[in-house]
Amino acid sequence: MQITPFHISIGANEQGDFVLYVFTASQNIAIPIDIPEYLVQKGGRLLQPTHTELLGDPGELGHELGAVIFPEVVRDMLIAHARTAQNSNGRLQIQIQIAVPELAALPWEWAMVPGTREWAPAINDDYAVVRLSSINEPAPPILVDGPLCILLLVHPEQTSQFSLIHTMLQSEINAKRISVNIVEVHSIVDIEHALSQKIYHVVHFVGDVLLNADNLIRIVFGSEIDVFELTDLLAQFPDIGLISVTMAGSGEPQILAMPQIFAALLMSKTINAAITFSGVSRPDTIVRFAATCYNAIIEDIPLDLAVTRGRRALTSGRRDVNWGLAQLRIVPGTERLFVFDVPHNSWSWVRATLAVIGIAVAISGALLLGRMLNNNSFAIPLLPSFPIPMSTPKP
């Protein structure tokens, strides 16, 4: 399905006023906008090393953010382009790229489109929402020969809090379509050891991301690990196509900018996508989102729609206020991260063997008939023997 990009950007003009830019294949606009000062200050606080910003009312936050990036002219343009894409058997992708750091820190995925009835693009398949990376050239998709292998890295003694993911993905694990290994991390040595044991396609970090006094951004497990140390380590494993970064906690939901900055810095020429929660969430919320998203990926659903499905999973049943924290960042032009090899069908060998037997018997029959017609001989030649498989062959 063809993707129609709908690019939204916020910058500043020479006078320091904010400008909203919208780019599509057929239409470009630039609109001077007023952004409430309290939103700018909120974003600025999110960039401070030790600041904690409580989520508050996500509905109100979504309304405030939506009023900024979806004014009436953009809303009408958005709906018109979505309709055009749908008529062409395609779909829209809202691509957010914000050049003002204190504004980029805000969780724009919560933005609601204003109108008679507000609605959220980020949980709608027709309006998938992504952030764009500064890396310009997407890497080719990675071939997955076997299950999609996920490495879940957690704080020491937190395995039990995240083992629920095995239960939620049990049928896929039993079918060998997906595998999930949970490793408790004390230092970067544990990560390196885990990555060297087998091929992984997705690496999911669940740790506390912080900016320390030296302005170094790190993730904390048993010890602090610098983002650039991890970048160098991950570069040694080219089968990793996706990284996830989430923070777990049991208190009130918080908004944080550091996890999304950390995730963005882990992207590279081979890692074209990063999923993160721009805040702190409960372990069960992280697991529910991750299981839904990874299950969608092995169904070969595009990554942006897999994340959309994961957000929706947090809105069903017991309503979870965390759905707008889920953020996807991609390299422009990335459509698929993985190409899944056709699962090995053990009975295909049996069918192929029986087909060979059938062909051989037919040929032998033809030879016999020809001999009978030519020599008037009724001697029956010995037919070639083929072993009939009685058990499933190993791959």
Side-chain angles (χ1 to χ4, degrees), residues 84-116:
T84 300
Q86 192 174 50
N87 291 339
S88 303
N89 294 320
R91 62 184 179 87
L92 205 70
Q93 184 183 77
I94 300 174
Q95 302 175 343
I96 299 175
Q97 193 169 32
I98 298 177
V100 183
E102 57 267 35
L103 296 180
L106 294 171
W108 295 97
E109 287 70 19
W110 250 303
M112 309 287 288
V113 176
T116 305

PDB file of all heavy atoms in Angstrom, residues 84-116:
ATOM      1  N   THR A  84      -7.804  11.426  -0.508  1.00  0.00           N
ATOM      2  CA  THR A  84      -7.169  11.187  -1.805  1.00  0.00           C
ATOM      3  C   THR A  84      -6.318   9.924  -1.774  1.00  0.00           C
ATOM      4  O   THR A  84      -6.332   9.111  -2.703  1.00  0.00           O
ATOM      5  CB  THR A  84      -6.291  12.392  -2.203  1.00  0.00           C
ATOM      6  OG1 THR A  84      -7.111  13.556  -2.290  1.00  0.00           O
ATOM      7  CG2 THR A  84      -5.595  12.156  -3.530  1.00  0.00           C
ATOM      8  N   ALA A  85      -5.563   9.756  -0.683  1.00  0.00           N
ATOM      9  CA  ALA A  85      -4.725   8.568  -0.553  1.00  0.00           C
ATOM     10  C   ALA A  85      -5.577   7.306  -0.519  1.00  0.00           C
ATOM     11  O   ALA A  85      -5.252   6.299  -1.164  1.00  0.00           O
ATOM     12  CB  ALA A  85      -3.873   8.672   0.715  1.00  0.00           C
ATOM     13  N   GLN A  86      -6.683   7.354   0.199  1.00  0.00           N
ATOM     14  CA  GLN A  86      -7.555   6.191   0.316  1.00  0.00           C
ATOM     15  C   GLN A  86      -8.174   5.837  -1.031  1.00  0.00           C
ATOM     16  O   GLN A  86      -8.301   4.655  -1.380  1.00  0.00           O
ATOM     17  CB  GLN A  86      -8.640   6.455   1.353  1.00  0.00           C
ATOM     18  CG  GLN A  86      -9.429   5.233   1.764  1.00  0.00           C
ATOM     19  CD  GLN A  86     -10.390   5.547   2.899  1.00  0.00           C
ATOM     20  OE1 GLN A  86     -11.148   6.504   2.833  1.00  0.00           O
ATOM     21  NE2 GLN A  86     -10.363   4.735   3.943  1.00  0.00           N
ATOM     22  N   ASN A  87      -8.548   6.849  -1.805  1.00  0.00           N
ATOM     23  CA  ASN A  87      -9.128   6.614  -3.132  1.00  0.00           C
ATOM     24  C   ASN A  87      -8.126   5.992  -4.087  1.00  0.00           C
ATOM     25  O   ASN A  87      -8.514   5.402  -5.108  1.00  0.00           O
ATOM     26  CB  ASN A  87      -9.670   7.920  -3.716  1.00  0.00           C
ATOM     27  CG  ASN A  87     -10.891   8.431  -2.975  1.00  0.00           C
ATOM     28  OD1 ASN A  87     -11.582   7.664  -2.291  1.00  0.00           O
ATOM     29  ND2 ASN A  87     -11.174   9.718  -3.080  1.00  0.00           N
ATOM     30  N   SER A  88      -6.855   6.148  -3.783  1.00  0.00           N
ATOM     31  CA  SER A  88      -5.789   5.565  -4.611  1.00  0.00           C
ATOM     32  C   SER A  88      -5.246   4.280  -3.995  1.00  0.00           C
ATOM     33  O   SER A  88      -4.136   3.843  -4.332  1.00  0.00           O
ATOM     34  CB  SER A  88      -4.645   6.571  -4.781  1.00  0.00           C
ATOM     35  OG  SER A  88      -5.102   7.787  -5.336  1.00  0.00           O
ATOM     36  N   ASN A  89      -6.015   3.676  -3.088  1.00  0.00           N
ATOM     37  CA  ASN A  89      -5.606   2.458  -2.370  1.00  0.00           C
ATOM     38  C   ASN A  89      -4.311   2.660  -1.595  1.00  0.00           C
ATOM     39  O   ASN A  89      -3.496   1.744  -1.474  1.00  0.00           O
ATOM     40  CB  ASN A  89      -5.466   1.286  -3.351  1.00  0.00           C
ATOM     41  CG  ASN A  89      -6.778   0.882  -3.973  1.00  0.00           C
ATOM     42  OD1 ASN A  89      -7.811   0.860  -3.294  1.00  0.00           O
ATOM     43  ND2 ASN A  89      -6.767   0.585  -5.259  1.00  0.00           N
ATOM     44  N   GLY A  90      -4.131   3.857  -1.065  1.00  0.00           N
ATOM     45  CA  GLY A  90      -2.969   4.165  -0.249  1.00  0.00           C
ATOM     46  C   GLY A  90      -3.404   4.620   1.131  1.00  0.00           C
ATOM     47  O   GLY A  90      -4.557   4.473   1.527  1.00  0.00           O
ATOM     48  N   ARG A  91      -2.478   5.205   1.854  1.00  0.00           N
ATOM     49  CA  ARG A  91      -2.788   5.719   3.178  1.00  0.00           C
ATOM     50  C   ARG A  91      -1.841   6.858   3.517  1.00  0.00           C
ATOM     51  O   ARG A  91      -0.755   6.993   2.936  1.00  0.00           O
ATOM     52  CB  ARG A  91      -2.687   4.625   4.241  1.00  0.00           C
ATOM     53  CG  ARG A  91      -1.304   4.017   4.400  1.00  0.00           C
ATOM     54  CD  ARG A  91      -1.327   2.882   5.411  1.00  0.00           C
ATOM     55  NE  ARG A  91      -0.023   2.257   5.581  1.00  0.00           N
ATOM     56  CZ  ARG A  91       0.910   2.685   6.426  1.00  0.00           C
ATOM     57  NH1 ARG A  91       0.680   3.763   7.182  1.00  0.00           N
ATOM     58  NH2 ARG A  91       2.072   2.076   6.532  1.00  0.00           N
ATOM     59  N   LEU A  92      -2.264   7.661   4.475  1.00  0.00           N
ATOM     60  CA  LEU A  92      -1.494   8.828   4.895  1.00  0.00           C
ATOM     61  C   LEU A  92      -0.540   8.458   6.025  1.00  0.00           C
ATOM     62  O   LEU A  92      -0.823   7.569   6.832  1.00  0.00           O
ATOM     63  CB  LEU A  92      -2.454   9.918   5.380  1.00  0.00           C
ATOM     64  CG  LEU A  92      -1.976  11.367   5.311  1.00  0.00           C
ATOM     65  CD1 LEU A  92      -1.879  11.828   3.862  1.00  0.00           C
ATOM     66  CD2 LEU A  92      -2.947  12.267   6.072  1.00  0.00           C
ATOM     67  N   GLN A  93       0.591   9.147   6.074  1.00  0.00           N
ATOM     68  CA  GLN A  93       1.511   9.015   7.206  1.00  0.00           C
ATOM     69  C   GLN A  93       1.900  10.422   7.652  1.00  0.00           C
ATOM     70  O   GLN A  93       2.508  11.175   6.898  1.00  0.00           O
ATOM     71  CB  GLN A  93       2.757   8.230   6.819  1.00  0.00           C
ATOM     72  CG  GLN A  93       3.702   7.972   7.997  1.00  0.00           C
ATOM     73  CD  GLN A  93       4.970   7.250   7.565  1.00  0.00           C
ATOM     74  OE1 GLN A  93       5.863   7.859   6.988  1.00  0.00           O
ATOM     75  NE2 GLN A  93       5.035   5.948   7.840  1.00  0.00           N
ATOM     76  N   ILE A  94       1.520  10.772   8.872  1.00  0.00           N
ATOM     77  CA  ILE A  94       1.870  12.082   9.426  1.00  0.00           C
ATOM     78  C   ILE A  94       3.300  12.001   9.949  1.00  0.00           C
ATOM     79  O   ILE A  94       3.591  11.226  10.850  1.00  0.00           O
ATOM     80  CB  ILE A  94       0.899  12.490  10.549  1.00  0.00           C
ATOM     81  CG1 ILE A  94      -0.531  12.577  10.010  1.00  0.00           C
ATOM     82  CG2 ILE A  94       1.320  13.817  11.168  1.00  0.00           C
ATOM     83  CD1 ILE A  94      -1.577  12.840  11.078  1.00  0.00           C
ATOM     84  N   GLN A  95       4.174  12.810   9.374  1.00  0.00           N
ATOM     85  CA  GLN A  95       5.594  12.794   9.716  1.00  0.00           C
ATOM     86  C   GLN A  95       5.948  14.083  10.453  1.00  0.00           C
ATOM     87  O   GLN A  95       5.876  15.165   9.877  1.00  0.00           O
ATOM     88  CB  GLN A  95       6.441  12.644   8.456  1.00  0.00           C
ATOM     89  CG  GLN A  95       6.126  11.383   7.667  1.00  0.00           C
ATOM     90  CD  GLN A  95       6.893  11.292   6.354  1.00  0.00           C
ATOM     91  OE1 GLN A  95       7.431  12.282   5.867  1.00  0.00           O
ATOM     92  NE2 GLN A  95       6.950  10.106   5.779  1.00  0.00           N
ATOM     93  N   ILE A  96       6.296  13.948  11.718  1.00  0.00           N
ATOM     94  CA  ILE A  96       6.589  15.112  12.561  1.00  0.00           C
ATOM     95  C   ILE A  96       8.103  15.286  12.683  1.00  0.00           C
ATOM     96  O   ILE A  96       8.826  14.335  13.000  1.00  0.00           O
ATOM     97  CB  ILE A  96       5.961  14.945  13.957  1.00  0.00           C
ATOM     98  CG1 ILE A  96       4.430  14.837  13.833  1.00  0.00           C
ATOM     99  CG2 ILE A  96       6.337  16.103  14.870  1.00  0.00           C
ATOM    100  CD1 ILE A  96       3.725  14.559  15.154  1.00  0.00           C
ATOM    101  N   GLN A  97       8.565  16.501  12.420  1.00  0.00           N
ATOM    102  CA  GLN A  97       9.984  16.821  12.560  1.00  0.00           C
ATOM    103  C   GLN A  97      10.076  18.261  13.050  1.00  0.00           C
ATOM    104  O   GLN A  97       9.803  19.200  12.304  1.00  0.00           O
ATOM    105  CB  GLN A  97      10.720  16.638  11.234  1.00  0.00           C
ATOM    106  CG  GLN A  97      12.231  16.636  11.366  1.00  0.00           C
ATOM    107  CD  GLN A  97      12.904  16.187  10.071  1.00  0.00           C
ATOM    108  OE1 GLN A  97      12.391  16.427   8.983  1.00  0.00           O
ATOM    109  NE2 GLN A  97      14.051  15.531  10.178  1.00  0.00           N
ATOM    110  N   ILE A  98      10.450  18.430  14.312  1.00  0.00           N
ATOM    111  CA  ILE A  98      10.404  19.748  14.945  1.00  0.00           C
ATOM    112  C   ILE A  98      11.809  20.214  15.267  1.00  0.00           C
ATOM    113  O   ILE A  98      12.587  19.505  15.923  1.00  0.00           O
ATOM    114  CB  ILE A  98       9.527  19.706  16.213  1.00  0.00           C
ATOM    115  CG1 ILE A  98       8.090  19.340  15.800  1.00  0.00           C
ATOM    116  CG2 ILE A  98       9.544  21.037  16.948  1.00  0.00           C
ATOM    117  CD1 ILE A  98       7.128  19.197  16.945  1.00  0.00           C
ATOM    118  N   ALA A  99      12.146  21.421  14.792  1.00  0.00           N
ATOM    119  CA  ALA A  99      13.512  21.935  14.885  1.00  0.00           C
ATOM    120  C   ALA A  99      13.781  22.688  16.181  1.00  0.00           C
ATOM    121  O   ALA A  99      14.927  23.025  16.464  1.00  0.00           O
ATOM    122  CB  ALA A  99      13.800  22.844  13.693  1.00  0.00           C
ATOM    123  N   VAL A 100      12.758  22.970  16.975  1.00  0.00           N
ATOM    124  CA  VAL A 100      12.923  23.713  18.230  1.00  0.00           C
ATOM    125  C   VAL A 100      13.022  22.704  19.368  1.00  0.00           C
ATOM    126  O   VAL A 100      12.049  22.000  19.656  1.00  0.00           O
ATOM    127  CB  VAL A 100      11.738  24.677  18.461  1.00  0.00           C
ATOM    128  CG1 VAL A 100      11.962  25.502  19.718  1.00  0.00           C
ATOM    129  CG2 VAL A 100      11.521  25.568  17.245  1.00  0.00           C
ATOM    130  N   PRO A 101      14.182  22.560  20.030  1.00  0.00           N
ATOM    131  CA  PRO A 101      14.377  21.483  21.011  1.00  0.00           C
ATOM    132  C   PRO A 101      13.309  21.417  22.093  1.00  0.00           C
ATOM    133  O   PRO A 101      12.807  20.331  22.415  1.00  0.00           O
ATOM    134  CB  PRO A 101      15.757  21.804  21.605  1.00  0.00           C
ATOM    135  CG  PRO A 101      16.463  22.547  20.529  1.00  0.00           C
ATOM    136  CD  PRO A 101      15.408  23.365  19.839  1.00  0.00           C
ATOM    137  N   GLU A 102      12.946  22.564  22.666  1.00  0.00           N
ATOM    138  CA  GLU A 102      11.970  22.526  23.761  1.00  0.00           C
ATOM    139  C   GLU A 102      10.575  22.143  23.279  1.00  0.00           C
ATOM    140  O   GLU A 102       9.741  21.692  24.069  1.00  0.00           O
ATOM    141  CB  GLU A 102      11.928  23.860  24.511  1.00  0.00           C
ATOM    142  CG  GLU A 102      11.610  25.054  23.641  1.00  0.00           C
ATOM    143  CD  GLU A 102      12.869  25.739  23.126  1.00  0.00           C
ATOM    144  OE1 GLU A 102      13.864  25.039  22.854  1.00  0.00           O
ATOM    145  OE2 GLU A 102      12.848  26.973  22.981  1.00  0.00           O
ATOM    146  N   LEU A 103      10.311  22.306  21.985  1.00  0.00           N
ATOM    147  CA  LEU A 103       9.035  21.862  21.436  1.00  0.00           C
ATOM    148  C   LEU A 103       9.106  20.398  21.003  1.00  0.00           C
ATOM    149  O   LEU A 103       8.134  19.648  21.135  1.00  0.00           O
ATOM    150  CB  LEU A 103       8.622  22.738  20.255  1.00  0.00           C
ATOM    151  CG  LEU A 103       8.347  24.213  20.583  1.00  0.00           C
ATOM    152  CD1 LEU A 103       7.942  24.975  19.331  1.00  0.00           C
ATOM    153  CD2 LEU A 103       7.272  24.351  21.653  1.00  0.00           C
ATOM    154  N   ALA A 104      10.257  19.973  20.489  1.00  0.00           N
ATOM    155  CA  ALA A 104      10.424  18.570  20.095  1.00  0.00           C
ATOM    156  C   ALA A 104      10.290  17.645  21.289  1.00  0.00           C
ATOM    157  O   ALA A 104       9.925  16.471  21.148  1.00  0.00           O
ATOM    158  CB  ALA A 104      11.782  18.381  19.427  1.00  0.00           C
ATOM    159  N   ALA A 105      10.585  18.160  22.494  1.00  0.00           N
ATOM    160  CA  ALA A 105      10.506  17.336  23.702  1.00  0.00           C
ATOM    161  C   ALA A 105       9.071  17.002  24.100  1.00  0.00           C
ATOM    162  O   ALA A 105       8.848  16.070  24.872  1.00  0.00           O
ATOM    163  CB  ALA A 105      11.209  18.055  24.855  1.00  0.00           C
ATOM    164  N   LEU A 106       8.103  17.738  23.594  1.00  0.00           N
ATOM    165  CA  LEU A 106       6.705  17.520  23.978  1.00  0.00           C
ATOM    166  C   LEU A 106       6.146  16.265  23.298  1.00  0.00           C
ATOM    167  O   LEU A 106       6.534  15.927  22.177  1.00  0.00           O
ATOM    168  CB  LEU A 106       5.867  18.738  23.591  1.00  0.00           C
ATOM    169  CG  LEU A 106       6.200  20.035  24.340  1.00  0.00           C
ATOM    170  CD1 LEU A 106       5.462  21.224  23.717  1.00  0.00           C
ATOM    171  CD2 LEU A 106       5.849  19.916  25.820  1.00  0.00           C
ATOM    172  N   PRO A 107       5.205  15.568  23.928  1.00  0.00           N
ATOM    173  CA  PRO A 107       4.640  14.330  23.364  1.00  0.00           C
ATOM    174  C   PRO A 107       3.531  14.614  22.344  1.00  0.00           C
ATOM    175  O   PRO A 107       2.338  14.489  22.640  1.00  0.00           O
ATOM    176  CB  PRO A 107       4.095  13.615  24.612  1.00  0.00           C
ATOM    177  CG  PRO A 107       3.723  14.721  25.540  1.00  0.00           C
ATOM    178  CD  PRO A 107       4.712  15.820  25.308  1.00  0.00           C
ATOM    179  N   TRP A 108       3.922  14.972  21.137  1.00  0.00           N
ATOM    180  CA  TRP A 108       2.960  15.369  20.102  1.00  0.00           C
ATOM    181  C   TRP A 108       2.052  14.229  19.668  1.00  0.00           C
ATOM    182  O   TRP A 108       1.020  14.460  19.029  1.00  0.00           O
ATOM    183  CB  TRP A 108       3.710  15.933  18.900  1.00  0.00           C
ATOM    184  CG  TRP A 108       4.428  17.209  19.214  1.00  0.00           C
ATOM    185  CD1 TRP A 108       5.750  17.353  19.536  1.00  0.00           C
ATOM    186  CD2 TRP A 108       3.850  18.514  19.280  1.00  0.00           C
ATOM    187  NE1 TRP A 108       6.036  18.670  19.795  1.00  0.00           N
ATOM    188  CE2 TRP A 108       4.888  19.416  19.643  1.00  0.00           C
ATOM    189  CE3 TRP A 108       2.569  19.026  19.070  1.00  0.00           C
ATOM    190  CZ2 TRP A 108       4.682  20.778  19.797  1.00  0.00           C
ATOM    191  CZ3 TRP A 108       2.358  20.385  19.220  1.00  0.00           C
ATOM    192  CH2 TRP A 108       3.400  21.245  19.579  1.00  0.00           C
ATOM    193  N   GLU A 109       2.407  12.991  19.985  1.00  0.00           N
ATOM    194  CA  GLU A 109       1.561  11.852  19.621  1.00  0.00           C
ATOM    195  C   GLU A 109       0.178  11.949  20.274  1.00  0.00           C
ATOM    196  O   GLU A 109      -0.770  11.319  19.818  1.00  0.00           O
ATOM    197  CB  GLU A 109       2.245  10.542  20.030  1.00  0.00           C
ATOM    198  CG  GLU A 109       3.421  10.150  19.158  1.00  0.00           C
ATOM    199  CD  GLU A 109       4.652  11.040  19.320  1.00  0.00           C
ATOM    200  OE1 GLU A 109       4.760  11.751  20.351  1.00  0.00           O
ATOM    201  OE2 GLU A 109       5.514  11.033  18.428  1.00  0.00           O
ATOM    202  N   TRP A 110       0.060  12.737  21.344  1.00  0.00           N
ATOM    203  CA  TRP A 110      -1.223  12.919  22.013  1.00  0.00           C
ATOM    204  C   TRP A 110      -2.128  13.921  21.294  1.00  0.00           C
ATOM    205  O   TRP A 110      -3.302  14.062  21.649  1.00  0.00           O
ATOM    206  CB  TRP A 110      -1.007  13.430  23.443  1.00  0.00           C
ATOM    207  CG  TRP A 110      -1.349  12.423  24.491  1.00  0.00           C
ATOM    208  CD1 TRP A 110      -2.545  11.795  24.667  1.00  0.00           C
ATOM    209  CD2 TRP A 110      -0.481  11.929  25.501  1.00  0.00           C
ATOM    210  NE1 TRP A 110      -2.484  10.939  25.733  1.00  0.00           N
ATOM    211  CE2 TRP A 110      -1.222  11.002  26.263  1.00  0.00           C
ATOM    212  CE3 TRP A 110       0.839  12.174  25.856  1.00  0.00           C
ATOM    213  CZ2 TRP A 110      -0.684  10.318  27.345  1.00  0.00           C
ATOM    214  CZ3 TRP A 110       1.379  11.497  26.926  1.00  0.00           C
ATOM    215  CH2 TRP A 110       0.613  10.588  27.654  1.00  0.00           C
ATOM    216  N   ALA A 111      -1.591  14.635  20.320  1.00  0.00           N
ATOM    217  CA  ALA A 111      -2.334  15.744  19.700  1.00  0.00           C
ATOM    218  C   ALA A 111      -3.678  15.288  19.140  1.00  0.00           C
ATOM    219  O   ALA A 111      -3.767  14.280  18.431  1.00  0.00           O
ATOM    220  CB  ALA A 111      -1.488  16.373  18.595  1.00  0.00           C
ATOM    221  N   MET A 112      -4.720  16.029  19.483  1.00  0.00           N
ATOM    222  CA  MET A 112      -6.082  15.762  19.004  1.00  0.00           C
ATOM    223  C   MET A 112      -6.435  16.744  17.906  1.00  0.00           C
ATOM    224  O   MET A 112      -6.104  17.936  17.986  1.00  0.00           O
ATOM    225  CB  MET A 112      -7.080  15.897  20.156  1.00  0.00           C
ATOM    226  CG  MET A 112      -6.732  15.102  21.409  1.00  0.00           C
ATOM    227  SD  MET A 112      -6.978  13.333  21.208  1.00  0.00           S
ATOM    228  CE  MET A 112      -8.770  13.265  21.201  1.00  0.00           C
ATOM    229  N   VAL A 113      -7.097  16.253  16.864  1.00  0.00           N
ATOM    230  CA  VAL A 113      -7.572  17.132  15.800  1.00  0.00           C
ATOM    231  C   VAL A 113      -8.847  17.810  16.289  1.00  0.00           C
ATOM    232  O   VAL A 113      -9.830  17.141  16.602  1.00  0.00           O
ATOM    233  CB  VAL A 113      -7.848  16.347  14.508  1.00  0.00           C
ATOM    234  CG1 VAL A 113      -8.427  17.274  13.434  1.00  0.00           C
ATOM    235  CG2 VAL A 113      -6.565  15.699  13.999  1.00  0.00           C
ATOM    236  N   PRO A 114      -8.845  19.163  16.389  1.00  0.00           N
ATOM    237  CA  PRO A 114     -10.025  19.856  16.924  1.00  0.00           C
ATOM    238  C   PRO A 114     -11.182  19.846  15.928  1.00  0.00           C
ATOM    239  O   PRO A 114     -11.008  19.636  14.731  1.00  0.00           O
ATOM    240  CB  PRO A 114      -9.503  21.279  17.162  1.00  0.00           C
ATOM    241  CG  PRO A 114      -8.360  21.444  16.214  1.00  0.00           C
ATOM    242  CD  PRO A 114      -7.745  20.091  16.056  1.00  0.00           C
ATOM    243  N   GLY A 115     -12.359  20.072  16.438  1.00  0.00           N
ATOM    244  CA  GLY A 115     -13.560  20.108  15.613  1.00  0.00           C
ATOM    245  C   GLY A 115     -14.763  19.790  16.456  1.00  0.00           C
ATOM    246  O   GLY A 115     -14.712  19.797  17.697  1.00  0.00           O
ATOM    247  N   THR A 116     -15.880  19.506  15.800  1.00  0.00           N
ATOM    248  CA  THR A 116     -17.090  19.149  16.525  1.00  0.00           C
ATOM    249  C   THR A 116     -16.860  17.917  17.398  1.00  0.00           C
ATOM    250  O   THR A 116     -17.340  17.823  18.514  1.00  0.00           O
ATOM    251  CB  THR A 116     -18.241  18.869  15.536  1.00  0.00           C
ATOM    252  OG1 THR A 116     -18.399  19.997  14.676  1.00  0.00           O
ATOM    253  CG2 THR A 116     -19.543  18.618  16.285  1.00  0.00           C
TER     254      THR A 116
END
